[in-house]
């Protein structure tokens, strides 16, 4: 009978150890899944950053071009206003 009790105690310890092992394995699998999700999110963030950097560069180029056009338009308006003033002055208006 003592032998049976020892076997039952050993079996109980084995079940407890297996349950603990199963818990640790489940936690590890969940951790691995979480890391995979984080890696995917990080890759997406890097892709977004690259896309946004490209868009920002394009916007900066467009701003520079618009500033050049703006200066040219302002110069032409000044020339047109000077011409109108000269005509008005010449015609005595």
């Amino acid at each position: 009978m003592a032998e049976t009790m020892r076997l039952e105690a050993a079996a109980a310890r084995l079940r407890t150890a297996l349950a603990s092992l199963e818990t640790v394995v489940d936690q590890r699998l969940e951790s691995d899944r979480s890391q995979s999700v984080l890696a995917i999110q990080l890759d997406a963030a890097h892709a977004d950053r690259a896309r946004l950097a490209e868009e920002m560069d394009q916007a900066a180029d467009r701003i520079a071009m618009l500033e050049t056009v703006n200066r040219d338009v302002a110069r032409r308006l000044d020339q047109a206003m000077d011409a109108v003033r000269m005509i008005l002055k010449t015609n005595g208006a």
Side-chain angles (χ1 to χ4, degrees):
M1 185 174 230
E3 184 68 26
T4 303
M5 291 178 74
R6 282 195 315 221
L7 285 175
E8 287 176 5
R13 287 193 307 273
L14 179 58
R15 282 192 297 276
T16 302
L18 288 174
S20 295
L21 178 60
E22 186 176 330
T23 299
V24 169
V25 167
D26 287 345
Q27 289 172 346
R28 177 59 190 256
L29 290 173
E30 181 59 32
S31 174
D32 288 349
R33 280 191 291 273
S34 294
Q35 288 178 355
S36 293
V37 168
L38 288 175
I40 290 168
Q41 290 173 341
L42 184 60
D43 288 344
H46 284 296
D48 283 347
R49 184 205 167 280
R51 180 183 52 79
L52 290 172
E54 178 65 26
E55 288 177 10
M56 189 173 73
D57 289 344
Q58 290 173 357
D61 291 344
R62 180 156 170 75
I63 288 169
M65 186 265 310
L66 289 172
E67 287 173 344
T68 300
V69 169
N70 186 41
R71 281 191 298 275
D72 186 49
V73 168
R75 181 184 55 77
R76 289 180 184 194
L77 283 172
D78 286 342
Q79 289 174 346
M81 288 187 307
D82 288 344
V84 168
R85 283 188 196 106
M86 185 66 80
I87 291 169
L88 291 174
K89 188 176 183 181
T90 304
N91 291 329

